[in-house]
Amino acid sequence: MTRWTQDQWTLRMATTSYTVAIEPGGRWAELVAWGPHGVEVGPSPLQNRGDIHFITEADAAPIEYAPRGERPFTGADLEIDGDSWLTFESGAEADGVLRLSFVDEVAGLRVVLCYRPEAAVDVLSRWVEVTNLRDEPLRLARIGSAGVCLPVREPRLSFLHGEWAREFQLDHVSLPAGGFRISSSYGVPGHNHAPWLSVDDTWGVSLAWSGSWEITAEVEPSGLTRVRAGMLGPVVVGPGETFVTPELALAYSTDDLSRVWHAYDRLRSRPARKPVLYNSWEATGFEVDLPKQLELARIAADLGVELFVVDDGWFVGRHDDTGGLGDWYPESPDFGAFVEEVRSSGLEFGLWVEPESVSPKSRLYAEHPDWVYKMDGREPTLIRNQMLLNLGLPEVYEFVTSTLDRLLTEHRISYLKWDMNRPATERSGELDDAHVRNYWRVLEHLRSQHPHVLVEGCAGGGGRTDLATTGMVDVVWPSDNTAPLDRLKIQQGFLHMHAPHLMSSWVTDAPGFFDARPRSLKFRFVLAMAGVLGIGADVRHWSAEERSEAAALIARYKDIRDVVHGGEVRLLNDAVQYSAQDQVVVLAWNTGSLTGVPMVPGQSSRVRLRDLTAESYVDEDGQVYSAAHLTHVGVPFDWTASNDADVVVLRPA
Ligand code: GLA
């Protein structure tokens, strides 16, 4: 970090920099420049060059953080009970964090803007610490993590939206004026919008918060676009206490923002090899009959699967979705022996849990009716026939932690799928805050106490895939929709926000959910190979030919897994390119019409590659291509009804 003048700082990331300054009156911090290294040398593109009419100076400034009062017309980042104006106190850098401190003596609060630049990637994390200087509680109705002004008059916003089973639909909107808002009040980031936004494919934000949130973008009267993000309040801060907001990650790229987010994910993930898994949920549902599970496990092992996961339905009282949650004891007395038998067939063992949930019929609820979210004198709201535990309570945190400790020590479990199948109701911003922070604590506990256990994050599919969660789990389940063409769209959207090593994907027998067009086994495999491969089909019914095709594809996946999980990604049209030093892997799918070749004349379909560093490449059949050919003409694919997806591996020739 370089301090240029007394009140200006340039934060350096891998190839980009972010320069903030205190405005001459000491009233706020403002953005001077954000872009490739050196962009700060020259007049700021954000500075107001005109007279100000009918708004305040703050409304026209590229302000970094504003309480309501100080910036009355263009949206505040912080709202207390009454208005607030801040005055700069000091700026200091320590331990890689720049802290700019402001105080409002009248309203009784201190606000510290915190900035942590990442040296290895082009991401800057921002958050705010608010201290209550009053001798009574301070209520924060809105508590943003950060705001940032961009020099864009008519932004093109890219965002991910959807619903359960249709998450991560990538969409774009141009905003000539006015505002745009995405949010969740579900107590989890939710299926409807991901807490992620990009502007002109150049600037991006992603919020590290696993509860309710909002992100807005507004075209301001001065012509700047201001993006704001934060958790949903209100929260109450006790006298003398400090509230720390979630972090907002800010990314910049002149090339491809998804690559910056992928690099950031890789930085935040612990190194772990992701086994090829089998999950029996789609095959057997709630009927977890151990001999049948063992049959599935043995077939899976023969196919080359490395991990067998028993999903919902293994515990007492769980015959359907009306009971059992909370009573985390195996239904069968033979469960322990079953786990060992699965392991003796050469597979690791994984288990599904939903630690935050409780069924009304459970013993846990009978014993602790006061542990769930509900209003005094009213029945709690049920969704999927279940309630949520108030994880913010110390006794619930203890229960969840000790339950997981018990399961993980009683059985040799190396994989935990942590699900959460309903949104929160009867939960204020404050309860949300306490719940989320204890959810993180449990995840941290799992990492420190059971480091060999991989954790899959899931919330009815992709309801909780925020940056905080992905930093603490090993993989996430993006959607319950495993139907091939739907899944392809979901995955391509997901990969704009997160890296492939986090993306769990299964080969299933699922018919189309929204798009019912069937696809070959190979298509379904190549699709699941785009991230962390799993099988969810009822393999007992696969023919000998299907099993041998599956075994070959699993073996092929193991060969390319390191490149898929660690390579640089290009999201292409119906294809993904993964590039590593000595290998380029291309996965491609045909979703369009067929040309009729070879029955009639026609040419191959092509996928044009990017970023090739060698002069020429050779594929596994010995075909040599120049980099120019691959870049400008493309890799050829001859699609037919049965050959509707493929894997191509290229090595420098
Ligand atoms: C959620 C998950 C599924 C499965 C079921 C079990 O919907 O997303 O993968 O685990 O719960 O009830």
mmCIF file of all heavy atoms in Angstrom, residues 517-553:
data_model
loop_
_atom_site.group_PDB
_atom_site.id
_atom_site.type_symbol
_atom_site.label_atom_id
_atom_site.label_comp_id
_atom_site.label_asym_id
_atom_site.label_seq_id
_atom_site.Cartn_x
_atom_site.Cartn_y
_atom_site.Cartn_z
ATOM 1 N N ARG A 517 -36.044 -32.282 -23.037
ATOM 2 C CA ARG A 517 -35.355 -33.011 -24.104
ATOM 3 C C ARG A 517 -34.303 -33.964 -23.520
ATOM 4 O O ARG A 517 -33.463 -33.523 -22.743
ATOM 5 C CB ARG A 517 -34.697 -32.030 -25.072
ATOM 6 C CG ARG A 517 -35.702 -31.352 -25.995
ATOM 7 C CD ARG A 517 -35.034 -30.313 -26.865
ATOM 8 N NE ARG A 517 -34.564 -29.194 -26.076
ATOM 9 C CZ ARG A 517 -33.722 -28.265 -26.525
ATOM 10 N NH1 ARG A 517 -33.263 -28.340 -27.753
ATOM 11 N NH2 ARG A 517 -33.353 -27.269 -25.753
ATOM 12 N N PRO A 518 -34.365 -35.241 -23.863
ATOM 13 C CA PRO A 518 -33.405 -36.198 -23.289
ATOM 14 C C PRO A 518 -32.016 -35.992 -23.875
ATOM 15 O O PRO A 518 -31.865 -35.458 -24.977
ATOM 16 C CB PRO A 518 -33.970 -37.548 -23.703
ATOM 17 C CG PRO A 518 -34.802 -37.283 -24.907
ATOM 18 C CD PRO A 518 -35.297 -35.865 -24.810
ATOM 19 N N ARG A 519 -31.030 -36.416 -23.156
ATOM 20 C CA ARG A 519 -29.660 -36.351 -23.636
ATOM 21 C C ARG A 519 -28.958 -37.662 -23.304
ATOM 22 O O ARG A 519 -29.346 -38.371 -22.368
ATOM 23 C CB ARG A 519 -28.912 -35.174 -22.996
ATOM 24 C CG ARG A 519 -29.248 -33.820 -23.651
ATOM 25 C CD ARG A 519 -28.771 -33.826 -25.094
ATOM 26 N NE ARG A 519 -28.969 -32.609 -25.858
ATOM 27 C CZ ARG A 519 -30.032 -32.327 -26.607
ATOM 28 N NH1 ARG A 519 -31.065 -33.141 -26.630
ATOM 29 N NH2 ARG A 519 -30.075 -31.232 -27.323
ATOM 30 N N SER A 520 -27.909 -37.969 -24.054
ATOM 31 C CA SER A 520 -27.217 -39.253 -23.907
ATOM 32 C C SER A 520 -26.526 -39.353 -22.546
ATOM 33 O O SER A 520 -26.314 -38.348 -21.858
ATOM 34 C CB SER A 520 -26.160 -39.388 -25.005
ATOM 35 O OG SER A 520 -25.097 -38.492 -24.721
ATOM 36 N N LEU A 521 -26.123 -40.571 -22.213
ATOM 37 C CA LEU A 521 -25.363 -40.786 -20.980
ATOM 38 C C LEU A 521 -24.055 -39.989 -21.046
ATOM 39 O O LEU A 521 -23.611 -39.402 -20.064
ATOM 40 C CB LEU A 521 -25.068 -42.286 -20.816
ATOM 41 C CG LEU A 521 -24.391 -42.672 -19.500
ATOM 42 C CD1 LEU A 521 -25.308 -42.405 -18.312
ATOM 43 C CD2 LEU A 521 -23.978 -44.151 -19.506
ATOM 44 N N LYS A 522 -23.472 -39.956 -22.241
ATOM 45 C CA LYS A 522 -22.211 -39.234 -22.393
ATOM 46 C C LYS A 522 -22.414 -37.742 -22.114
ATOM 47 O O LYS A 522 -21.600 -37.108 -21.430
ATOM 48 C CB LYS A 522 -21.676 -39.440 -23.812
ATOM 49 C CG LYS A 522 -20.287 -38.884 -23.993
ATOM 50 C CD LYS A 522 -19.752 -39.292 -25.348
ATOM 51 C CE LYS A 522 -18.364 -38.772 -25.607
ATOM 52 N NZ LYS A 522 -18.009 -38.904 -27.024
ATOM 53 N N PHE A 523 -23.498 -37.182 -22.636
ATOM 54 C CA PHE A 523 -23.797 -35.766 -22.386
ATOM 55 C C PHE A 523 -23.879 -35.522 -20.886
ATOM 56 O O PHE A 523 -23.277 -34.588 -20.341
ATOM 57 C CB PHE A 523 -25.142 -35.406 -23.050
ATOM 58 C CG PHE A 523 -25.496 -33.936 -23.005
ATOM 59 C CD1 PHE A 523 -25.382 -33.150 -24.154
ATOM 60 C CD2 PHE A 523 -25.950 -33.345 -21.833
ATOM 61 C CE1 PHE A 523 -25.715 -31.799 -24.124
ATOM 62 C CE2 PHE A 523 -26.287 -31.999 -21.804
ATOM 63 C CZ PHE A 523 -26.175 -31.227 -22.944
ATOM 64 N N ARG A 524 -24.612 -36.404 -20.193
ATOM 65 C CA ARG A 524 -24.805 -36.211 -18.750
ATOM 66 C C ARG A 524 -23.477 -36.348 -18.011
ATOM 67 O O ARG A 524 -23.221 -35.632 -17.042
ATOM 68 C CB ARG A 524 -25.861 -37.195 -18.237
ATOM 69 C CG ARG A 524 -27.258 -36.804 -18.728
ATOM 70 C CD ARG A 524 -28.308 -37.811 -18.347
ATOM 71 N NE ARG A 524 -28.367 -38.924 -19.271
ATOM 72 C CZ ARG A 524 -28.602 -40.186 -18.925
ATOM 73 N NH1 ARG A 524 -28.771 -40.508 -17.659
ATOM 74 N NH2 ARG A 524 -28.670 -41.126 -19.828
ATOM 75 N N PHE A 525 -22.633 -37.235 -18.490
ATOM 76 C CA PHE A 525 -21.308 -37.379 -17.868
ATOM 77 C C PHE A 525 -20.447 -36.146 -18.121
ATOM 78 O O PHE A 525 -19.872 -35.580 -17.197
ATOM 79 C CB PHE A 525 -20.597 -38.636 -18.384
ATOM 80 C CG PHE A 525 -20.628 -39.757 -17.381
ATOM 81 C CD1 PHE A 525 -21.537 -40.782 -17.495
ATOM 82 C CD2 PHE A 525 -19.750 -39.754 -16.310
ATOM 83 C CE1 PHE A 525 -21.587 -41.796 -16.551
ATOM 84 C CE2 PHE A 525 -19.786 -40.773 -15.361
ATOM 85 C CZ PHE A 525 -20.711 -41.791 -15.485
ATOM 86 N N VAL A 526 -20.348 -35.749 -19.365
ATOM 87 C CA VAL A 526 -19.462 -34.622 -19.687
ATOM 88 C C VAL A 526 -19.919 -33.389 -18.903
ATOM 89 O O VAL A 526 -19.115 -32.599 -18.420
ATOM 90 C CB VAL A 526 -19.422 -34.368 -21.216
ATOM 91 C CG1 VAL A 526 -18.572 -33.151 -21.539
ATOM 92 C CG2 VAL A 526 -18.882 -35.596 -21.945
ATOM 93 N N LEU A 527 -21.227 -33.267 -18.734
ATOM 94 C CA LEU A 527 -21.778 -32.144 -17.966
ATOM 95 C C LEU A 527 -21.323 -32.198 -16.502
ATOM 96 O O LEU A 527 -20.894 -31.191 -15.931
ATOM 97 C CB LEU A 527 -23.305 -32.238 -18.056
ATOM 98 C CG LEU A 527 -24.126 -31.102 -17.509
ATOM 99 C CD1 LEU A 527 -23.705 -29.792 -18.143
ATOM 100 C CD2 LEU A 527 -25.597 -31.361 -17.798
ATOM 101 N N ALA A 528 -21.422 -33.369 -15.909
ATOM 102 C CA ALA A 528 -21.029 -33.493 -14.495
ATOM 103 C C ALA A 528 -19.510 -33.435 -14.337
ATOM 104 O O ALA A 528 -19.002 -33.102 -13.264
ATOM 105 C CB ALA A 528 -21.590 -34.790 -13.912
ATOM 106 N N MET A 529 -18.787 -33.724 -15.394
ATOM 107 C CA MET A 529 -17.322 -33.649 -15.354
ATOM 108 C C MET A 529 -16.829 -32.197 -15.362
ATOM 109 O O MET A 529 -15.652 -31.936 -15.129
ATOM 110 C CB MET A 529 -16.731 -34.397 -16.569
ATOM 111 C CG MET A 529 -16.838 -35.906 -16.450
ATOM 112 S SD MET A 529 -16.781 -36.764 -18.055
ATOM 113 C CE MET A 529 -15.045 -36.888 -18.336
ATOM 114 N N ALA A 530 -17.730 -31.258 -15.624
ATOM 115 C CA ALA A 530 -17.334 -29.838 -15.680
ATOM 116 C C ALA A 530 -16.983 -29.290 -14.305
ATOM 117 O O ALA A 530 -16.458 -28.180 -14.185
ATOM 118 C CB ALA A 530 -18.450 -29.019 -16.308
ATOM 119 N N GLY A 531 -17.311 -30.037 -13.248
ATOM 120 C CA GLY A 531 -16.986 -29.596 -11.896
ATOM 121 C C GLY A 531 -16.499 -30.786 -11.101
ATOM 122 O O GLY A 531 -15.532 -31.447 -11.481
ATOM 123 N N VAL A 532 -17.196 -31.082 -10.006
ATOM 124 C CA VAL A 532 -16.840 -32.226 -9.165
ATOM 125 C C VAL A 532 -17.833 -33.341 -9.486
ATOM 126 O O VAL A 532 -19.013 -33.249 -9.159
ATOM 127 C CB VAL A 532 -16.886 -31.845 -7.675
ATOM 128 C CG1 VAL A 532 -16.544 -33.044 -6.810
ATOM 129 C CG2 VAL A 532 -15.937 -30.688 -7.407
ATOM 130 N N LEU A 533 -17.325 -34.375 -10.135
ATOM 131 C CA LEU A 533 -18.206 -35.420 -10.674
ATOM 132 C C LEU A 533 -18.839 -36.289 -9.590
ATOM 133 O O LEU A 533 -18.162 -36.744 -8.664
ATOM 134 C CB LEU A 533 -17.388 -36.311 -11.625
ATOM 135 C CG LEU A 533 -18.088 -37.557 -12.178
ATOM 136 C CD1 LEU A 533 -19.261 -37.195 -13.078
ATOM 137 C CD2 LEU A 533 -17.090 -38.437 -12.939
ATOM 138 N N GLY A 534 -20.124 -36.521 -9.753
ATOM 139 C CA GLY A 534 -20.831 -37.472 -8.908
ATOM 140 C C GLY A 534 -21.818 -38.249 -9.756
ATOM 141 O O GLY A 534 -22.142 -37.859 -10.882
ATOM 142 N N ILE A 535 -22.282 -39.374 -9.207
ATOM 143 C CA ILE A 535 -23.317 -40.154 -9.883
ATOM 144 C C ILE A 535 -24.513 -40.184 -8.944
ATOM 145 O O ILE A 535 -24.362 -40.463 -7.748
ATOM 146 C CB ILE A 535 -22.882 -41.624 -10.135
ATOM 147 C CG1 ILE A 535 -21.434 -41.711 -10.622
ATOM 148 C CG2 ILE A 535 -23.859 -42.329 -11.070
ATOM 149 C CD1 ILE A 535 -21.186 -41.256 -11.997
ATOM 150 N N GLY A 536 -25.696 -39.904 -9.498
ATOM 151 C CA GLY A 536 -26.904 -39.944 -8.677
ATOM 152 C C GLY A 536 -27.962 -40.842 -9.279
ATOM 153 O O GLY A 536 -29.081 -40.903 -8.786
ATOM 154 N N ALA A 537 -27.610 -41.546 -10.358
ATOM 155 C CA ALA A 537 -28.593 -42.393 -11.043
ATOM 156 C C ALA A 537 -28.776 -43.708 -10.293
ATOM 157 O O ALA A 537 -27.934 -44.087 -9.472
ATOM 158 C CB ALA A 537 -28.106 -42.681 -12.462
ATOM 159 N N ASP A 538 -29.849 -44.403 -10.608
ATOM 160 C CA ASP A 538 -30.019 -45.738 -10.031
ATOM 161 C C ASP A 538 -29.212 -46.716 -10.875
ATOM 162 O O ASP A 538 -29.722 -47.320 -11.827
ATOM 163 C CB ASP A 538 -31.497 -46.124 -9.996
ATOM 164 C CG ASP A 538 -31.702 -47.358 -9.129
ATOM 165 O OD1 ASP A 538 -30.701 -48.069 -8.880
ATOM 166 O OD2 ASP A 538 -32.836 -47.599 -8.695
ATOM 167 N N VAL A 539 -27.950 -46.871 -10.520
ATOM 168 C CA VAL A 539 -27.025 -47.661 -11.346
ATOM 169 C C VAL A 539 -27.377 -49.149 -11.379
ATOM 170 O O VAL A 539 -26.868 -49.883 -12.223
ATOM 171 C CB VAL A 539 -25.560 -47.467 -10.879
ATOM 172 C CG1 VAL A 539 -25.045 -46.097 -11.276
ATOM 173 C CG2 VAL A 539 -25.420 -47.650 -9.369
ATOM 174 N N ARG A 540 -28.294 -49.562 -10.470
ATOM 175 C CA ARG A 540 -28.714 -50.966 -10.511
ATOM 176 C C ARG A 540 -29.403 -51.264 -11.847
ATOM 177 O O ARG A 540 -29.406 -52.385 -12.318
ATOM 178 C CB ARG A 540 -29.691 -51.273 -9.375
ATOM 179 C CG ARG A 540 -29.041 -51.260 -8.005
ATOM 180 C CD ARG A 540 -30.064 -51.363 -6.912
ATOM 181 N NE ARG A 540 -31.039 -50.270 -6.968
ATOM 182 C CZ ARG A 540 -32.030 -50.111 -6.112
ATOM 183 N NH1 ARG A 540 -32.204 -50.984 -5.148
ATOM 184 N NH2 ARG A 540 -32.865 -49.092 -6.222
ATOM 185 N N HIS A 541 -30.018 -50.215 -12.412
ATOM 186 C CA HIS A 541 -30.770 -50.429 -13.655
ATOM 187 C C HIS A 541 -29.965 -50.116 -14.905
ATOM 188 O O HIS A 541 -30.493 -50.190 -16.009
ATOM 189 C CB HIS A 541 -32.068 -49.601 -13.622
ATOM 190 C CG HIS A 541 -32.934 -49.971 -12.468
ATOM 191 N ND1 HIS A 541 -33.588 -49.054 -11.692
ATOM 192 C CD2 HIS A 541 -33.197 -51.194 -11.929
ATOM 193 C CE1 HIS A 541 -34.238 -49.682 -10.720
ATOM 194 N NE2 HIS A 541 -34.013 -50.983 -10.848
ATOM 195 N N TRP A 542 -28.723 -49.741 -14.737
ATOM 196 C CA TRP A 542 -27.907 -49.486 -15.930
ATOM 197 C C TRP A 542 -27.513 -50.816 -16.572
ATOM 198 O O TRP A 542 -27.161 -51.784 -15.872
ATOM 199 C CB TRP A 542 -26.639 -48.702 -15.557
ATOM 200 C CG TRP A 542 -26.884 -47.220 -15.408
ATOM 201 C CD1 TRP A 542 -28.078 -46.570 -15.499
ATOM 202 C CD2 TRP A 542 -25.894 -46.216 -15.138
ATOM 203 N NE1 TRP A 542 -27.897 -45.215 -15.303
ATOM 204 C CE2 TRP A 542 -26.573 -44.969 -15.093
ATOM 205 C CE3 TRP A 542 -24.511 -46.226 -14.949
ATOM 206 C CZ2 TRP A 542 -25.917 -43.763 -14.846
ATOM 207 C CZ3 TRP A 542 -23.848 -45.038 -14.705
ATOM 208 C CH2 TRP A 542 -24.551 -43.814 -14.664
ATOM 209 N N SER A 543 -27.538 -50.843 -17.900
ATOM 210 C CA SER A 543 -27.150 -52.062 -18.623
ATOM 211 C C SER A 543 -25.633 -52.243 -18.539
ATOM 212 O O SER A 543 -24.903 -51.326 -18.144
ATOM 213 C CB SER A 543 -27.547 -51.929 -20.101
ATOM 214 O OG SER A 543 -26.792 -50.882 -20.674
ATOM 215 N N ALA A 544 -25.178 -53.420 -18.971
ATOM 216 C CA ALA A 544 -23.731 -53.685 -18.972
ATOM 217 C C ALA A 544 -23.003 -52.657 -19.839
ATOM 218 O O ALA A 544 -21.926 -52.173 -19.490
ATOM 219 C CB ALA A 544 -23.477 -55.096 -19.482
ATOM 220 N N GLU A 545 -23.626 -52.291 -21.002
ATOM 221 C CA GLU A 545 -22.981 -51.298 -21.895
ATOM 222 C C GLU A 545 -22.901 -49.950 -21.187
ATOM 223 O O GLU A 545 -21.887 -49.258 -21.246
ATOM 224 C CB GLU A 545 -23.779 -51.111 -23.204
ATOM 225 C CG GLU A 545 -23.769 -52.297 -24.142
ATOM 226 C CD GLU A 545 -24.665 -53.422 -23.652
ATOM 227 O OE1 GLU A 545 -25.766 -53.139 -23.131
ATOM 228 O OE2 GLU A 545 -24.252 -54.597 -23.756
ATOM 229 N N GLU A 546 -24.001 -49.575 -20.524
ATOM 230 C CA GLU A 546 -23.995 -48.280 -19.824
ATOM 231 C C GLU A 546 -22.938 -48.279 -18.725
ATOM 232 O O GLU A 546 -22.229 -47.298 -18.537
ATOM 233 C CB GLU A 546 -25.379 -47.988 -19.237
ATOM 234 C CG GLU A 546 -26.382 -47.543 -20.281
ATOM 235 C CD GLU A 546 -27.808 -47.453 -19.737
ATOM 236 O OE1 GLU A 546 -28.212 -48.331 -18.935
ATOM 237 O OE2 GLU A 546 -28.518 -46.509 -20.121
ATOM 238 N N ARG A 547 -22.848 -49.380 -18.003
ATOM 239 C CA ARG A 547 -21.852 -49.441 -16.921
ATOM 240 C C ARG A 547 -20.436 -49.343 -17.474
ATOM 241 O O ARG A 547 -19.579 -48.683 -16.897
ATOM 242 C CB ARG A 547 -22.014 -50.725 -16.110
ATOM 243 C CG ARG A 547 -23.273 -50.686 -15.257
ATOM 244 C CD ARG A 547 -23.343 -51.877 -14.335
ATOM 245 N NE ARG A 547 -24.697 -52.035 -13.811
ATOM 246 C CZ ARG A 547 -25.057 -52.969 -12.969
ATOM 247 N NH1 ARG A 547 -24.179 -53.847 -12.531
ATOM 248 N NH2 ARG A 547 -26.295 -53.047 -12.542
ATOM 249 N N SER A 548 -20.194 -49.994 -18.609
ATOM 250 C CA SER A 548 -18.809 -49.916 -19.093
ATOM 251 C C SER A 548 -18.521 -48.540 -19.678
ATOM 252 O O SER A 548 -17.407 -48.009 -19.523
ATOM 253 C CB SER A 548 -18.473 -51.075 -20.027
ATOM 254 O OG SER A 548 -18.844 -50.775 -21.330
ATOM 255 N N GLU A 549 -19.516 -47.912 -20.291
ATOM 256 C CA GLU A 549 -19.317 -46.535 -20.769
ATOM 257 C C GLU A 549 -19.059 -45.607 -19.572
ATOM 258 O O GLU A 549 -18.154 -44.758 -19.593
ATOM 259 C CB GLU A 549 -20.556 -46.062 -21.550
ATOM 260 C CG GLU A 549 -20.348 -44.697 -22.169
ATOM 261 C CD GLU A 549 -21.553 -44.170 -22.954
ATOM 262 O OE1 GLU A 549 -22.564 -44.904 -23.088
ATOM 263 O OE2 GLU A 549 -21.470 -43.010 -23.406
ATOM 264 N N ALA A 550 -19.844 -45.827 -18.501
ATOM 265 C CA ALA A 550 -19.681 -44.984 -17.302
ATOM 266 C C ALA A 550 -18.287 -45.171 -16.702
ATOM 267 O O ALA A 550 -17.619 -44.196 -16.343
ATOM 268 C CB ALA A 550 -20.759 -45.334 -16.277
ATOM 269 N N ALA A 551 -17.847 -46.422 -16.623
ATOM 270 C CA ALA A 551 -16.528 -46.678 -16.027
ATOM 271 C C ALA A 551 -15.430 -45.987 -16.838
ATOM 272 O O ALA A 551 -14.502 -45.391 -16.279
ATOM 273 C CB ALA A 551 -16.281 -48.183 -15.965
ATOM 274 N N ALA A 552 -15.563 -46.033 -18.168
ATOM 275 C CA ALA A 552 -14.551 -45.391 -19.019
ATOM 276 C C ALA A 552 -14.571 -43.873 -18.812
ATOM 277 O O ALA A 552 -13.521 -43.223 -18.762
ATOM 278 C CB ALA A 552 -14.821 -45.746 -20.479
ATOM 279 N N LEU A 553 -15.769 -43.310 -18.694
ATOM 280 C CA LEU A 553 -15.857 -41.850 -18.518
ATOM 281 C C LEU A 553 -15.354 -41.418 -17.139
ATOM 282 O O LEU A 553 -14.740 -40.359 -16.995
ATOM 283 C CB LEU A 553 -17.297 -41.381 -18.761
ATOM 284 C CG LEU A 553 -17.693 -41.389 -20.248
ATOM 285 C CD1 LEU A 553 -19.205 -41.338 -20.425
ATOM 286 C CD2 LEU A 553 -17.016 -40.240 -21.003
#
